[in-house]
Amino acid sequence: MKLNYLELPSFIPVSKLNAIKNGFIITKTIEITLSDGRKLSIPEGYIIQSTNIPKWIKKLSFSTQKVSIATLIYDRLWTEQISEIEYFGNIYEALQFSNKEFLKWNNASNPSNRFINFVKYQFLKHFSIRYYIKKGLV
């Protein structure tokens, strides 16, 4: 599946993992064009572990029933953290890009919730770096 910038999928090829693993698995490779023109590949078999996502982010962006394209992109950018940091030159620029990308895709998929999307973005912008540093993920 290939998606151009802000092109919304009719469905996201994902299956829920069992209750023990508490997450989702991508069932078909997705290639997404990001706002800066780069291609982000989310391979078949990619697992989104909802246990690794902070509870406050889960409440804002991650439903136990479905996966949004914005959350999927955000999650994949941060599993590719090293290459993102190398591309941007530092963690703060990389994180800022992923946060803005999250907002853009959220606004595209939920245009009537722009205020809520902005609130989600502000939470990510101000608190995600602290979370990643505290967990030793950066």
Side-chain angles (χ1 to χ4, degrees):
M1 170 186 288
K2 292 186 180 195
L3 298 174
N4 292 317
Y5 176 59
L6 297 182
E7 178 184 356
L8 300 176
S10 55
F11 74 99
I12 298 175
V14 65
S15 291
K16 184 137 174 60
L17 292 172
N18 64 36
I20 296 168
K21 294 197 178 189
N22 196 20
F24 298 89
I25 187 166
I26 299 299
T27 58
K28 183 179 178 186
T29 299
I30 305 169
E31 186 178 279
I32 302 165
T33 302
L34 301 174
S35 62
D36 64 356
R38 290 182 298 143
K39 305 285 186 202
L40 178 68
S41 181
I42 304 169
E44 179 179 341
Y46 179 75
I47 295 175
I48 304 162
Q49 289 283 18
S50 61
T51 55
N52 293 338
I53 299 170
K55 288 179 183 176
W56 61 269
I57 293 177
K58 257 192 257 190
K59 289 180 181 179
L60 291 175
S61 62
F62 197 95
S63 166
T64 56
Q65 302 303 314
K66 63 181 181 174
V67 175
S68 77
I69 192 69
T71 302
L72 184 57
I73 291 168
Y74 185 83
D75 189 69
R76 182 64 177 164
L77 285 172
W78 281 99
T79 57
E80 293 298 314
Q81 182 181 115
I82 300 302
S83 62
E84 286 297 297
I85 293 168
E86 288 172 358
Y87 179 80
F88 286 100
N90 65 62
I91 187 169
Y92 299 101
E93 296 285 328
L95 188 59
Q96 191 173 46
F97 175 80
S98 64
N99 291 343
K100 287 180 181 176
E101 203 70 9
F102 178 79
L103 177 62
K104 291 172 186 176
W105 284 88
N106 252 338
N107 282 339
S109 59
N110 292 313
S112 62
N113 289 334
R114 285 186 176 273
F115 177 74
I116 300 297
N117 296 340
F118 184 74
V119 170
K120 292 177 188 181
Y121 164 73
Q122 288 298 321
F123 270 102
L124 287 175
K125 180 179 171 184
H126 295 290
F127 297 109
S128 57
I129 190 68
R130 292 181 192 137
Y131 172 80
Y132 288 114
I133 290 171
K134 184 178 175 182
K135 290 290 188 180
L137 299 172
V138 293

